[in-house]
Amino acid sequence: MKSDMPPRTRGGYTSTAPRRRPTGSERRRRVQLREVEPEHPRHDRDETEEVLKGAPGGPIDRCILRSFHKHVAAKIWLGEDRAPLKLVNHGAKLQLWELDVERSRIYETVQRSGLAPLISCSHRVASRPMLSAFCERWQPETTTFHLPFGEMTITLDDVASILHIPITGSMISFSQPLRVDDANALLVELLGTTDVEASRETEQCRSPSVRLQWLRENFSTITDVSSDDDIDFATRAFLLHLVGCTLFADKSATSVGVVYLELFRDLSMVGSYAWGATCLAFMYRQLTTATRFEVRQLGGYLTLLQAWIYEHFPEMFSSPDMAYIESRPRALRWRPHVIPDSLQSLRELLDRLHISDVCWEPYVDHRAEHPFPDIAWFSGCIKCGLVVEPYHPERVLRQFGHIQTIPPRPFAPPRPDRSILLDQYWERWTDHVLIDQSRGRRCHYSGESVAEYMAWYDRISHRIVQPPHLRSGFTTDARSSLPSHTASTSDSRNARALRLLRHVISGGRQQSGDYFWGALNEAHSILAGSDETSASHSTPSPAPASHITPSPATRPFFCPPTFVYPPPASVDPPPASVDPPPAAVDPHPSSPVAPPAPAAGPIASTTVYVRSKRKKKT
């Protein structure tokens, strides 16, 4: 007797049709899919943490860096690598839309907004290896760079000094992402375009955005003789173009979101926003995104990041502009250039960073023109629309001239939909600054920290990015037979000595004789091998009272205030050997080691050959 129920197939569907057998091509396709399966499956989260648990340089205690398994530095320790990031820099595009005398009314509104310094201080060149190397040091949980000797970050004081834009005022708030229809309506209302033009532009961008080129082509020809409405439209278009090229440069590389046009609805209120704090929150988010291994591009205002590196590491990366005056933004103090070093060499350079290589308070000479802002001590969240990022000054007390203590655990930012509470929290920023007890005592010397700080930092941080077995100068065959000091060490000594001498030469005749002789003495000690580079986070001892400190008038502007060279004691015969004896170098010392004092050497006995320039006979 046959059943009335229809037959059931494997998938659970009922059908009266007979089951079809797979064809030969389908069977071959299934075999090919089995053959391309990887032999070693990808590590999941637990396996990755087990691999990284015993790796040198990785965090032993993951109570702080909870997402480290997704970080690009974790992949580098697993043997994978990432090329230098592609940079989104619009510094050259700002020169394509100039505000001359015929557009003075537009420039007056831009000046009242507080954004006028961005027109002149944007760098046209950005160094991919340098910015990529610092990106690999960024940790999203703490919003700081994790360096061998501790944490550093871009503070509100850095933003105000480098860019000269306001860091107090209202935060930028958006209730929800902008839709394309709403973007078209904003373009019609605030820029005076037609519905067809607005729809065509957003369709071409495939998002609620407009191209920077479209803004220049349609509004850069408007002058002061135009109507008041046209001047208002051109002013809003210029401000949208300005923030799209600088503060809110995203990874589209050609467009800017129409959502920022709402900020320029009332042109009399454009100066009431905290543009600096908003820019910092956007830069934090771009750095956080770039720490993921699969990301290949970096957005944000790269002039801010690059100038911050120049300010705090002047002897390693910077090229100063001798014509700079302190009344201008500090971004103009430097001549941007492309670092010729590779990404791997810069990783190793940052792994060997010494605490004395950092200029912790670079704006001492700038305080007369730009005093320290108290809002830089604010501890809380900063935001840019729907982007909310924590701001932790207690983790970088040394950048404020205070002794670094063990900071509290970082707090997770709240949801963006609680924007009203965040705005109220920011408006009452005076109630949320660090108290004197949390700030601690002033430093006796630059970069000072409490005794237990480095032991705690060793446990929770990722201090070394480049694995020791993958550093330059090592091969698989000769790794076991090489001593700890290889040819790469001498190359590093030569590079450090050349950087030091380059800054001495660029300082001209401003510097005192004590500084000149001390710099030459230290360069000789570096080349002689007496300068140890393995103590990457040693704490420098205060200079003896007998050493003569150059006055601020004679000290070169690129030299940190506490950076003092002792004069040479005597001239001794040259050492028998300039190569140091082989010694075991621990790339992760557990306790700070004081750097050795620079040895006095025969400066006068060094022969310098100068090639004379002769005129060619005609």
Side-chain angles (χ1 to χ4, degrees):
M1 182 178 180
K2 295 184 178 180
S3 174
D4 297 335
M5 296 293 295
R8 183 178 296 272
T9 63
R10 281 190 176 183
Y13 300 100
T14 57
S15 175
T16 57
R19 180 183 175 186
R20 183 177 63 84
R21 298 181 61 184
T23 61
S25 60
E26 290 180 351
R27 287 195 296 268
R28 287 192 298 270
R29 190 182 303 113
R30 293 176 185 178
V31 173
Q32 291 176 359
L33 290 177
R34 296 193 198 101
E35 291 177 352
V36 299
E37 289 181 358
E39 298 180 2
H40 303 284
R42 295 180 59 183
H43 298 285
D44 57 9
R45 177 171 179 174
D46 297 334
E47 293 175 352
T48 304
E49 291 183 355
E50 289 298 327
V51 170
L52 293 174
K53 187 174 182 179
I60 301 175
D61 186 356
R62 292 183 178 81
C63 63
I64 304 296
L65 307 183
R66 296 181 178 273
S67 64
F68 184 72
H69 61 282
K70 301 178 182 178
H71 202 278
V72 61
K75 302 296 183 181
I76 293 175
W77 274 98
L78 291 176
E80 304 180 42
D81 201 355
R82 185 175 72 174
L85 296 169
K86 181 182 177 182
L87 305 181
V88 180
N89 186 31
H90 301 298
K93 295 180 181 178
L94 290 175
Q95 310 301 324
L96 302 177
W97 192 349
E98 297 182 354
L99 297 181
D100 49 14
V101 182
E102 297 179 353
R103 297 166 179 81
S104 59
R105 294 179 60 182
I106 299 178
Y107 183 73
E108 290 175 359
T109 306
V110 175
Q111 235 177 353
R112 290 195 303 269
S113 69
L115 299 175
L118 301 178
I119 302 175
S120 59
C121 70
S122 297
H123 293 173
R124 301 183 64 178
V125 178
S127 178
R128 291 180 61 191
M130 182 183 69
L131 299 186
S132 300
F134 274 88
C135 251
E136 296 171 354
R137 297 276 177 176
W138 183 261
Q139 296 296 339
E141 288 83 0
T142 60
T143 58
T144 57
F145 298 101
H146 282 225
L147 297 165
F149 44 77
E151 300 178 44
M152 296 184 69
T153 194
I154 308 173
T155 64
L156 290 172
D157 181 33
D158 291 315
V159 178
S161 300
I162 292 174
L163 303 180
H164 280 196
I165 59 177
I167 57 175
T168 58
S170 302
M171 280 289 183
I172 295 179
S173 300
F174 305 129
S175 58
Q176 57 186 357
L178 191 68
R179 297 181 301 177
V180 176
D181 295 340
D182 298 333
N184 295 336
L186 276 179
L187 292 175
V188 173
E189 179 185 2
L190 301 181
L191 294 187
T193 62
T194 63
D195 292 332
V196 177
E197 293 175 345
S199 301
R200 185 187 302 116
E201 182 62 24
T202 53
E203 287 177 3
Q204 184 169 352
C205 294
R206 298 179 180 179
S207 63
S209 306
V210 293
R211 291 172 295 132
L212 299 172
Q213 181 181 357
W214 180 81
L215 292 173
R216 292 192 301 267
E217 292 175 350
N218 289 274
F219 299 96
S220 62
T221 58
I222 297 178
T223 61
D224 292 343
V225 298
S226 304
S227 63
D228 292 343
D229 291 340
D230 289 342
I231 292 177
D232 289 344
F233 295 153
T235 303
R236 295 190 185 100
F238 182 85
L239 289 171
L240 182 62
H241 180 272
L242 181 61
V243 299
C245 290
T246 56
L247 305 184
F248 310 131
D250 55 22
K251 292 188 290 187
S252 66
T254 57
S255 61
V256 57
V258 182
V259 66
Y260 302 112
L261 190 59
E262 183 67 37
L263 305 174
F264 311 125
R265 176 183 293 275
D266 187 356
L267 292 177
S268 62
M269 297 295 293
V270 291
S272 63
Y273 295 106
W275 294 110
T278 303
C279 168
L280 188 60
F282 191 85
M283 188 76 247
Y284 280 1
R285 179 58 58 89
Q286 295 298 316
L287 287 169
T288 297
T289 305
T291 59
R292 298 296 176 253
F293 182 77
E294 63 275 6
V295 176
R296 298 292 184 266
Q297 203 170 8
L298 175 63
Y301 194 21
L302 300 185
T303 297
L304 173 63
L305 176 58
Q306 186 164 254
W308 179 86
I309 297 173
Y310 290 160
E311 290 287 350
H312 290 277
F313 305 92
E315 295 189 7
M316 301 179 63
F317 303 107
S318 64
S319 178
D321 186 357
M322 306 299 293
Y324 171 77
I325 55 177
E326 291 295 340
S327 60
R328 308 177 70 186
R330 295 283 284 204
L332 297 174
R333 186 189 182 204
W334 311 104
R335 295 176 179 175
H337 60 284
V338 177
I339 305 278
D341 298 342
S342 64
L343 177 56
Q344 179 176 348
S345 63
L346 290 179
R347 284 174 188 161
E348 298 176 11
L349 181 63
L350 294 182
D351 286 342
R352 296 191 302 267
L353 266 184
H354 194 278
I355 197 172
S356 61
D357 294 329
V358 183
C359 183
W360 294 97
E361 297 179 83
Y363 313 117
V364 175
D365 298 334
H366 199 60
R367 294 305 182 198
E369 299 288 340
H370 201 278
F372 177 81
D374 292 334
I375 198 173
W377 287 111
F378 169 78
S379 180
C381 287
I382 53 179
K383 72 170 189 174
C384 173
L386 300 178
V387 174
V388 181
E389 293 290 338
Y391 177 75
H392 297 121
E394 62 273 10
R395 307 191 71 88
V396 291
L397 293 177
R398 290 179 288 188
Q399 292 182 226
F400 299 96
H402 290 249
I403 300 176
Q404 182 62 56
T405 57
I406 297 179
R409 183 170 297 187
F411 51 87
R415 299 190 308 272
D417 54 2
R418 303 180 63 183
S419 59
I420 298 179
L421 297 178
L422 293 176
D423 293 342
Q424 295 175 354
Y425 196 88
W426 172 259
E427 290 174 359
R428 298 193 299 267
W429 64 265
T430 53
D431 299 333
H432 305 288
V433 296
L434 290 183
I435 60 177
D436 294 339
Q437 183 179 359
S438 300
R439 300 179 191 181
R441 296 177 287 114
R442 294 285 301 181
C443 289
H444 301 293
Y445 51 86
S446 293
E448 184 181 2
S449 60
V450 295
E452 61 273 12
Y453 174 76
M454 283 309 303
W456 168 84
Y457 183 69
D458 251 340
R459 190 175 66 255
I460 62 96
S461 177
H462 183 78
R463 295 174 45 223
I464 307 299
V465 172
Q466 186 71 12
H469 64 281
L470 296 179
R471 292 176 184 170
S472 58
F474 289 88
T475 59
T476 306
D477 300 332
R479 186 177 302 151
S480 59
S481 60
L482 285 177
S484 55
H485 287 272
T486 61
S488 61
T489 307
S490 62
D491 294 340
S492 175
R493 290 201 302 263
N494 294 338
R496 293 186 61 192
L498 287 175
R499 283 196 302 269
L500 180 61
L501 294 177
R502 185 180 73 242
H503 286 292
V504 172
I505 295 172
S506 64
R509 299 184 179 180
Q510 315 174 35
Q511 51 210 356
S512 64
D514 295 330
Y515 175 82
F516 177 77
W517 285 105
L520 290 181
N521 189 28
E522 180 165 340
H524 177 270
S525 65
I526 291 173
L527 294 175
S530 60
D531 181 80
E532 292 292 337
T533 59
S534 60
S536 59
H537 61 274
S538 57
T539 304
S541 57
S546 60
H547 293 164
I548 300 175
T549 305
S551 62
T554 60
R555 183 187 298 121
F557 65 90
F558 56 85
C559 181
T562 57
F563 194 70
V564 181
Y565 290 104
S570 61
V571 176
D572 298 328
S577 175
V578 297
D579 294 328
V585 179
D586 182 12
H588 317 287
S590 57
S591 59
V593 180
I603 304 302
S605 63
T606 304
T607 304
V608 180
Y609 297 94
V610 180
R611 180 180 297 178
S612 61
K613 296 182 179 179
R614 296 181 179 179
K615 294 183 179 180
K616 186 178 180 181
K617 295 182 180 180
T618 58

